[in-house]
Amino acid sequence: MNELIEFFNHPFFAIVGGVSTVVAIFGFGYTIYTIISGVMPVWIRLGRGLSNKKIAVYAESEFDNFKDLLVDSGLFKEKNIEKITSASLGKGERHTMMLVNYNEFDDKIQDILRFKKDSDALIVYVSNGVRISQNIMDNINNHRNSILVTFRGRLLNDIVTSLITTAYEKK
């Protein structure tokens, strides 16, 4: 047994152990740095977006359905969801997240696009079976941070992604 202990007390094992410890410490430090510089900013932006960002919902008869979808997800507060009607399109200009029900606002899309700033997120919900003209598709596509959604399940995913990717302006 003493021979085995003496074997591992050789200077070679002390050097290898020391080098391994230094490599492990630097690896751990680099991992912490990567998490802090890469992941934390995304978590902070998402947290701020979920708690502070107001969502303008361009819907009239379907507003309650969209509001319930957002609130029931547990991600959004009811106070952060505002109804925008066709008579009050200008109210949506102050919001950085816009959700539009295309079926009700198909003739107002051009006006909504005019109100949208480059840093704002626009999500246009189109229900199944509704065709959008190529002209309107091109106009939506020409605006940054604009998404066209055809499924309600996908709608929440696109809203959360938009919260992370859109710019945050200090007001």
Side-chain angles (χ1 to χ4, degrees), residues 49-62:
L50 289 174
S51 65
N52 298 331
K53 189 157 292 202
K54 303 234 185 260
I55 301 174
V57 179
Y58 290 83
E60 292 178 2
S61 63
E62 289 284 321

Side-chain angles (χ1 to χ4, degrees), residues 81-157:
I81 301 168
E82 184 175 354
K83 180 178 183 178
I84 309 294
T85 63
S86 57
S88 62
L89 289 179
K91 281 176 46 178
E93 186 174 17
R94 66 178 182 248
H95 293 79
T96 57
M97 173 73 64
M98 297 178 241
L99 171 60
V100 179
N101 184 9
Y102 181 79
N103 300 346
E104 295 180 282
F105 285 84
D106 58 343
D107 57 337
K108 306 278 192 227
I109 290 292
Q110 299 301 336
D111 296 328
I112 294 169
L113 288 172
R114 261 185 264 135
F115 290 128
K116 180 190 173 306
K117 295 182 206 94
D118 198 37
S119 61
D120 296 345
L122 173 69
I123 300 173
V124 180
Y125 172 75
V126 182
S127 63
N128 285 339
V130 176
R131 300 279 299 156
I132 300 177
S133 71
Q134 189 61 43
N135 183 34
I136 292 175
M137 290 278 280
D138 291 340
N139 283 338
I140 293 172
N141 189 40
N142 288 335
H143 286 82
R144 185 178 296 188
N145 299 319
S146 297
I147 303 169
L148 190 66
V149 182
T150 56
F151 294 104
R152 285 186 190 259
R154 177 86 181 153
L155 190 61
L156 280 176
N157 181 51

